[in-house]
């Protein structure tokens, strides 16, 4: 109890009083809480979430320093807070600019609103059929392709590196996008909620040492994207025409259209994830 008393004394709180809350106070709290929730939800869809967690760690460090009376750390934090605010504005400049643009267009809240209803089964099944059909046809003529199907983890960071499309998924559209010498063929396509969201998107390459040297940049990018998200990443090899699927850092190679359809149609089961090394070593033993 003495520790808590010292904390309250440092904060200038000497006695407790029962707060009086009215309807306006409750409404005020709810509005502020909703705004904070939307801001955090928005940040979580970008790479700024990692930076935001870093800022929270700094605040936690400041709280511990105040509790333990670490004067040197408190002096450093108190003298750098003004510079820190400017640094935060600079670091979050792209996200802040996007938020202000959406606010000016009247889409600040609608941009973050995701439907809580399940995707229509017929539309989802049609999307799967079209993607599998496109992969099969592109594989037969050895047209390289890279398609990401977004799941729970948003792919907004990848999407912003490409060109917006916003079109209904169809095999003809996908084949046309990845056709040789077309403006959109280089890069990945992102599929979100039964629509082609963007094309020519750049993906991070995997750093895994278990990846075979025979795999090219397209397959490495597929594995890398699946390592940082829960997306289904479909790859069509330009050299062999083989269809592969990357999921959770695991690359499943040489799939038939039926196998691909079953894998992207069924929800992913937690706890059944295998490491890439296990899958790859197993394939080598079979070979």
């Amino acid at each position: 109890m003495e520790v808590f008393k010292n904390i309250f004394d440092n904060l200038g709180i000497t006695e407790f009083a029962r707060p009086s809350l009215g309807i306006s106070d409750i409404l005020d709290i709810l509005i502020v809480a909703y705004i904070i929730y939307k801001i955090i939800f928005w940040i979580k869809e970008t790479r700024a979430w990692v930076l935001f967690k870093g800022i929270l760690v700094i605040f936690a460090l400041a709280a511990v320093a105040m509790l333990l009376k670490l004067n040197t750390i408190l002096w450093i934090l108190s003298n750098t807070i003004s510079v820190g605010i400017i640094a935060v504005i600079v670091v979050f400049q792209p996200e802040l600019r996007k938020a202000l643009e959406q606010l000016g267009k009247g889409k600040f809240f609608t941009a973050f609103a995701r439907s809580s209803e399940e995707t229509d089964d017929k539309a989802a099944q049609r999307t799967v059929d079209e993607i599998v059909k496109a992969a099969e046809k592109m594989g037969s003529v050895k047209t390289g392709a890279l398609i990401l199907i977004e799941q729970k983890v948003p792919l907004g960071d990848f999407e912003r590196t490409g060109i917006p499309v916003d079109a209904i998924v169809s095999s003809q559209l996908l084949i046309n996008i990845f056709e040789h010498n077309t403006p959109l063929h280089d890069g990945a396509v992102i599929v979100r909620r039964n629509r082609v969201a963007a094309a020519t998107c750049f993906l991070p390459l995997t750093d895994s040492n278990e990846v075979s040297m025979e795999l090219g940049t397209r397959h490495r990018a597929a594995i890398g994207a699946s390592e940082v998200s829960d997306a289904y990443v479909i790859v069509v090899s330009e050299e062999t025409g083989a269809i592969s699927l990357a999921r959770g850092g695991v690359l499943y190679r040489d799939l038939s259209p039926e196998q691909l359809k079953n894998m992207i149609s069924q929800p992913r089961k937690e706890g059944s994830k295998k490491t890439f090394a296990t899958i790859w070593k197993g394939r080598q033993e079979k070979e």
Side-chain angles (χ1 to χ4, degrees):
M1 294 299 295
E2 186 67 25
V3 175
F4 291 105
K5 184 177 184 300
N6 292 334
I7 295 175
F8 294 133
D9 290 340
N10 292 332
L11 296 175
I13 302 175
T14 57
E15 60 181 9
F16 295 97
R18 179 177 297 177
S20 57
L21 293 176
I23 297 179
S24 59
D25 298 319
I26 296 176
L27 181 62
D28 188 21
I29 293 173
L30 291 176
I31 293 175
V32 172
Y34 181 77
I35 293 175
I36 294 175
Y37 167 77
K38 286 297 181 180
I39 292 175
I40 293 177
F41 190 86
W42 160 56
I43 292 176
K44 287 188 67 175
E45 294 195 344
T46 67
R47 285 175 292 185
W49 177 244
V50 179
L51 300 176
F52 181 73
K53 289 192 291 186
I55 294 175
L56 293 180
V57 171
I58 294 177
F59 277 111
L61 177 62
V64 173
M66 181 179 296
L67 178 63
L68 300 179
K69 297 183 179 180
L70 304 177
N71 296 326
T72 303
I73 296 179
L74 289 175
W75 180 84
I76 294 174
L77 293 175
S78 61
N79 284 275
T80 57
I81 188 65
S82 58
V83 179
I85 294 175
I86 298 175
V88 168
I89 295 176
V90 173
V91 170
F92 289 98
Q93 186 268 340
E95 287 76 14
L96 292 174
R97 179 176 178 178
K98 181 181 178 180
L100 291 175
E101 289 176 351
Q102 292 173 345
L103 182 62
K105 295 177 182 178
K107 299 180 180 180
F108 183 74
F109 291 109
T110 57
F112 311 125
R114 288 178 176 268
S115 176
S116 58
E117 298 179 357
E118 295 183 356
T119 307
D120 181 73
D121 291 339
K122 292 184 179 179
Q125 188 58 50
R126 178 186 176 279
T127 297
V128 170
D129 292 339
E130 293 295 322
I131 292 175
V132 172
K133 183 178 179 181
E136 182 179 11
K137 288 187 176 181
M138 287 187 289
S140 64
V141 295
K142 296 184 179 181
T143 298
L146 187 56
I147 304 172
L148 282 76
I149 305 176
E150 185 183 78
Q151 300 298 307
K152 293 182 179 180
V153 177
L155 302 176
D157 285 343
F158 298 156
E159 181 182 352
R160 282 191 289 274
T161 64
I163 298 176
V165 178
D166 192 22
I168 297 175
V169 177
S170 67
S171 59
Q172 294 87 347
L173 175 61
L174 294 174
I175 293 172
N176 187 70
I177 288 176
F178 290 109
E179 186 65 33
H180 293 290
N181 301 323
T182 56
L184 301 180
H185 84 281
D186 190 17
V189 163
I190 294 178
V191 176
R192 175 188 299 118
R193 295 192 290 276
N194 304 312
R195 297 185 70 84
V196 177
T200 71
C201 300
F202 293 100
L203 306 180
L205 301 181
T206 180
D207 295 327
S208 175
N209 295 324
E210 301 291 338
V211 179
S212 172
M213 296 300 295
E214 69 182 37
L215 296 179
T217 304
R218 185 176 286 111
H219 289 81
R220 291 175 179 271
I223 298 172
S226 68
E227 289 173 341
V228 297
S229 71
D230 60 348
Y232 296 108
V233 189
I234 301 169
V235 189
V236 179
S237 174
E238 189 173 355
E239 288 74 22
T240 64
I243 302 174
S244 303
L245 175 69
R247 185 177 62 182
V250 180
L251 183 65
Y252 302 88
R253 303 179 63 186
D254 302 328
L255 300 177
S256 66
E258 292 76 17
Q259 290 174 322
L260 176 64
K261 182 176 180 179
N262 291 334
M263 293 183 72
I264 63 178
S265 296
Q266 297 176 358
R268 181 177 177 180
K269 296 181 180 179
E270 298 296 335
S272 61
K273 178 180 175 181
K274 298 181 180 179
T275 63
F276 178 84
T278 303
I279 296 297
W280 184 247
K281 289 179 181 177
R283 290 185 178 275
Q284 286 183 325
E285 291 175 356
K286 290 180 181 179
E287 294 174 358

